[in-house]
């Protein structure tokens, strides 16, 4: 092992357990419930569970918690597998399901009955709730609590056989109805549910409850450290109670850490599903969704996601992480990687009145400013160009270094131009700029060493390829939408803007899955679902700067 100090309290515990010889191999699990797609919070759990074993040559199980038949779907199982792989982790032959252990779980339940610490209760669900008490009042024992072991065994076996209807009986642990911890007030272990299970079919009509199934699955798999989020802290006494009673060969240890919450979004499968149901987004993989599938479709690199959760760290303190932290990880990853291209999102026509009609010059453009090995490409330049509408201002302040009437600007990889005339339509809308270019200022080979303050991007009109560009913004208008009573009221109506953009020709061949920087605008990638050769569709991954930090897009310094 290296001698770097462990970077968080969980890695410290693991480090100590290896040093002391308590464990020779670390075994963890990531236990999703296949009732939705994985989100950014799960990324943290995946990176932690798979990360600690990657670092210590241990093993990690991907275990589907499929104890809740009816809500779980094969589509979600496939999506979860794909997402974990995409993040860069591999469970090898350790793909399991809680349902793989239904027989062993059943045997453990019978064992609890034999030990006299579990009983079949015949109260109704409502009566059980009434007996439970409250946070300030102790619960009351069920009248069925003192059934004999023989009677309990008989009833439980008949529950399994299908002799009873849903809700008629329930198997409960016999712990303490007066415990200040509600989880210890005789929690349910098995419920009767006459419903088919997606893996075990009609084999069972009783299903184990989460706490019991989860604890014992951890034990069966030899999990050493069962890492979960803080809301399970109050369940730990129950987790330990099961282990104390059943004394399995492997005793896992539950350790809790705080959830990762991302500002301006939500991380709850239930609420994300509500967005889909309400048609606010197009599906689990809508690029605005904080799901792994959505983020992948938007173009977030897996490496950036891993870097992001590393920066967030593993702690016991609840926190709301700024979206800017995630976006910075993405910018850092893409800044080095993404080739540069030119695209105009909101086009304004420029006509160079002194440029020969029908002439096309090919300008050599660097694919990456810091990586000459990525080469150059040829960029057509001609008399009619597109520039960005907001790179021109008719009434410009003195510090506006882009184009203004009578002003000059450099066209990136092109010439210096001057705006001579503003053409408007009948409504006073600017529809065209008539400009002149200075032939001595061609980028790289110009004979003039004239300098101007601003440089703007452009695309030659005749060769430009049209594309639909989807500009994404925060899904919500408030940092913590889950704290709003009805989170649907906090939706950002402008989370998606669609523009008809003009792209330089090279972008028609942009490979899927490869991010590109539109100079001065941000990072973009082709949409994995809707893009085709006939109809180009690009997604904005992230802007170049955090616009939410109120930094305005400026003209680049003159080249
Ligand atoms: P949701 O509330 O979105 O349904 P969940 O916790 O019910 O989430 P599971 O599929 O049960 O989802 O979670 C699998 C694992 O991921 C659990 O160990 C859980 O603790 C962890 N996890 C879920 N959400 C987060 C989060 N926001 N941050 C860190 N870990 C999380
Ligand atoms: Mg859950």
């Amino acid at each position: 092992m290296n001698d770097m100090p462990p970077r968080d309290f969980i890695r410290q515990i693991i480090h100590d357990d290896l040093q002391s010889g308590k464990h020779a191999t670390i075994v963890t699990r990531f236990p999703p419930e296949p009732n939705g797609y994985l989100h950014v919070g799960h990324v943290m759990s995946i990176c932690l569970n798979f990360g600690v074993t990657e670092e210590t040559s241990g093993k990690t199980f991907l275990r589907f918690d499929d104890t809740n038949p009816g809500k779980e779907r094969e589509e979600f199982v496939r999506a979860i597998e794909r997402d974990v792989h995409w993040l860069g982790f591999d469970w090898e032959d350790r793909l399991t399901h809680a349902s793989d252990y239904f027989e062993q779980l059943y045997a453990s339940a019978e064992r609890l009955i034999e030990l006299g610490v579990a009983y079949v209760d015949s109260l109704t669900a409502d009566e059980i709730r009434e007996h439970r008490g409250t946070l300030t009042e102790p619960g009351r024992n069920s009248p069925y609590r003192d059934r004999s072991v023989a009677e309990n065994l008989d009833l439980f076996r008949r529950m399994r056989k299908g002799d009873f209807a849903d809700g008629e009986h329930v198997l409960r642990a016999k712990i303490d109805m007066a415990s200040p911890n509600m989880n210890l007030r005789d929690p349910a272990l098995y419920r009767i549910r006459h419903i088919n299970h997606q893996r075990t079919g009609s084999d069972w009509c009783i299903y184990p409850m989460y706490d019991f199934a989860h604890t014992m699955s951890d034990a069966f798999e030899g999990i050493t450290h069962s890492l979960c989020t803080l809301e399970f802290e109050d369940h730990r006494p129950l987790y330990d109670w099961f282990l104390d009673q059943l004394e399995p060969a492997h005793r896992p240890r539950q350790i809790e850490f705080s959830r990762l919450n991302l500002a301006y979004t939500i991380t709850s499968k239930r609420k994300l599903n509500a967005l889909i149901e309400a048609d606010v987004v197009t599906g689990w993989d809508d690029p605005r969704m904080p799901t792994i599938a959505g983020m992948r479709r938007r173009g977030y690199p897996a490496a950036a996601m891993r870097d992001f959760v590393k920066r967030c760290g593993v702690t016991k303190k609840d926190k709301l992480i700024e979206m800017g932290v995630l976006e910075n990880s993405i910018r850092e990853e893409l800044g080095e990687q993404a080739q540069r291209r030119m695209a105009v999102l909101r086009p304004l026509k420029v006509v160079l009145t002194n440029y020969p009609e029908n002439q096309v010059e090919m300008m050599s453009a660097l694919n990456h400013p810091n990586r000459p090995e990525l080469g150059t490409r040829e960029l057509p330049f001609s008399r009619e160009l597109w520039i960005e509408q907001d790179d021109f201002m008719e009434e410009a302040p003195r510090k506006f270094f882009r184009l203004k009437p009578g002003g000059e600007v450099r066209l990136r990889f092109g010439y210096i131009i001057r705006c001579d005339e503003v053409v408007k339509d009948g409504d006073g809308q600017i529809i065209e700029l008539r400009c002149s270019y200075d032939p001595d200022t061609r980028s790289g080979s110009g004979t003039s060493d004239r300098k101007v303050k601003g440089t703007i991007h452009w695309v030659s009109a005749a060769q430009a390829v049209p594309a639909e560009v989807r500009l994404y913004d925060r899904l919500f208008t408030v940092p913590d939408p889950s704290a709003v009573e009805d989170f649907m009221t906090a939706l950002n109506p402008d989370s998606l803007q669609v523009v008809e953009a003009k792209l330089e020709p090279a972008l028609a061949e942009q490979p899927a899955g490869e991010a590109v920087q539109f100079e001065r605008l941000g990072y973009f990638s082709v949409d994995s679902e809707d893009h085709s050769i006939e109809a180009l569709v690009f997604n904005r991954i992230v802007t170049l700067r955090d616009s939410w930090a109120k930094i305005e897009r400026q003209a680049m310094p003159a080249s």
Side-chain angles (χ1 to χ4, degrees), residues 119-316:
Y119 63 100
V120 172
D121 198 353
S122 309
L123 291 178
T124 65
D126 282 342
E127 288 166 336
I128 288 181
R129 208 169 305 122
E130 279 163 33
H131 278 74
R132 230 181 144 221
T134 64
L135 284 174
T136 48
E137 273 173 55
R140 284 174 295 132
N141 286 353
S142 162
Y144 303 100
R145 199 174 194 259
D146 294 318
R147 277 175 164 151
S148 69
V149 168
E151 191 186 357
N152 281 320
L153 265 185
D154 174 61
L155 283 170
F156 188 49
R157 286 174 183 163
R158 286 170 58 202
M159 279 168 67
R160 174 179 183 169
K161 257 176 49 197
D163 286 359
F164 307 113
D166 287 10
E168 230 179 300
H169 303 286
V170 55
L171 183 73
R172 300 177 71 178
K174 191 192 282 193
I175 308 180
D176 179 5
M177 288 306 291
S179 172
N181 183 338
M182 301 290 274
N183 295 304
L184 297 181
R185 293 187 186 174
D186 292 10
L189 304 179
Y190 267 90
R191 279 186 300 175
I192 302 173
R193 293 187 71 195
H194 289 272
I195 180 172
N196 272 10
H197 185 278
Q198 69 274 18
R199 296 194 75 249
T200 59
S202 58
D203 290 356
W204 296 87
C205 62
I206 57 172
Y207 291 98
M209 301 300 287
Y210 175 81
D211 283 313
F212 179 57
H214 187 246
T215 309
M216 296 318 295
S217 303
D218 281 351
F220 299 150
E221 287 175 354
I223 304 298
T224 56
H225 301 78
S226 181
L227 311 177
C228 61
T229 34
L230 274 180
E231 70 269 23
F232 291 103
E233 197 165 24
D234 288 349
H235 297 238
R236 183 162 18 104
L238 179 56
Y239 190 95
D240 288 335
W241 185 88
F242 290 129
L243 300 173
D244 290 343
Q245 306 302 317
L246 292 164
E247 299 181 309
H250 298 282
R251 189 183 169 103
R253 170 176 176 191
Q254 175 176 309
I255 305 169
E256 309 86 17
F257 60 94
S258 63
R259 293 176 83 89
L260 184 151
N261 299 304
L262 192 58
Y264 295 97
T265 192
I266 43 178
T267 45
S268 145
K269 283 178 282 190
R270 189 178 54 77
K271 289 181 179 169
L272 292 173
N273 189 44
L275 295 178
I276 299 169
E277 298 288 314
D279 277 332
V280 170
V281 294
T282 56
W284 288 102
D285 70 344
D286 186 300
R288 289 167 291 177
M289 290 281 264
T291 51
I292 299 179
M295 296 187 291
R296 175 174 58 233
R297 178 167 169 190
R298 175 132 163 207
Y300 290 9
M305 304 298 306
R306 292 194 301 268
D307 177 70
F308 165 64
V309 297
K310 190 168 175 182
R311 287 186 201 204
C312 293
V314 179
T315 66
K316 281 256 186 203

Side-chain angles (χ1 to χ4, degrees), residues 527-540:
D527 186 74
S528 55
E529 296 299 313
D530 299 339
H531 179 86
S532 70
I533 303 289
E534 298 80 45
L536 313 186
V537 180
F538 281 77
N539 292 322
R540 182 170 68 197

Side-chain angles (χ1 to χ4, degrees), residues 439-451:
D440 291 336
T441 57
R442 182 174 161 150
S443 196
S445 58
T447 48
S448 151
D449 56 1
R450 221 142 66 67
K451 293 255 186 282

Side-chain angles (χ1 to χ4, degrees), residues 1 48 78 112-113 122 137 205 225 229 268 314 392 411 421 484 503 558:
M1 245 193 312
L48 177 62
R78 293 286 152 266
L112 289 175
I113 294 173
S122 309
E137 273 173 55
C205 62
H225 301 78
T229 34
S268 145
V314 179
F392 174 78
L411 297 177
E421 190 189 341
V484 178
L503 313 182

